[in-house]
Amino acid sequence: MPDEIVHVLPSLIEPMPDNPIHQLFFLLGCNLDYVPIQKYEAFLLGLQFLAALWFLWWFVKMMYNLLKGFLRGGI
């Protein structure tokens, strides 16, 4: 029964190559279109996703801190 689910599941999920979020995460090293088969692959995909998400959060925080000074008039 679980083997049937593994063989059917990849055909149900459509890849989204035109989605900008998928492209961004792919550039950061996380392929969201890949369907993991083993628990180890799922764990690694989760770690890659968290690392990419952390990098995006860090970038947005850095840009906010940079622009905060400019928006206040340089004080």
Side-chain angles (χ1 to χ4, degrees):
M1 181 82 150
D3 292 334
E4 294 173 1
I5 294 172
V6 170
H7 293 295
V8 172
L9 186 60
S11 64
L12 295 176
I13 299 175
E14 298 178 11
M16 301 179 142
D18 297 334
N19 189 337
I21 299 298
H22 275 77
Q23 291 175 358
L24 178 63
F25 274 91
F26 185 75
L27 287 173
L28 293 174
C30 181
N31 187 4
L32 296 177
D33 294 327
Y34 178 72
V35 178
I37 296 172
Q38 299 175 353
K39 289 182 182 180
Y40 178 71
E41 292 176 342
F43 177 70
L44 285 180
L45 183 63
L47 288 179
Q48 290 173 348
F49 179 77
L50 288 176
L53 200 62
W54 176 82
F55 180 76
L56 289 173
W57 176 79
W58 174 77
F59 180 74
V60 169
K61 180 182 171 187
M62 180 188 67
M63 290 302 291
Y64 173 75
N65 286 334
L66 266 171
L67 292 175
K68 184 172 55 173
F70 290 119
L71 293 175
R72 289 184 181 170
I75 296 176

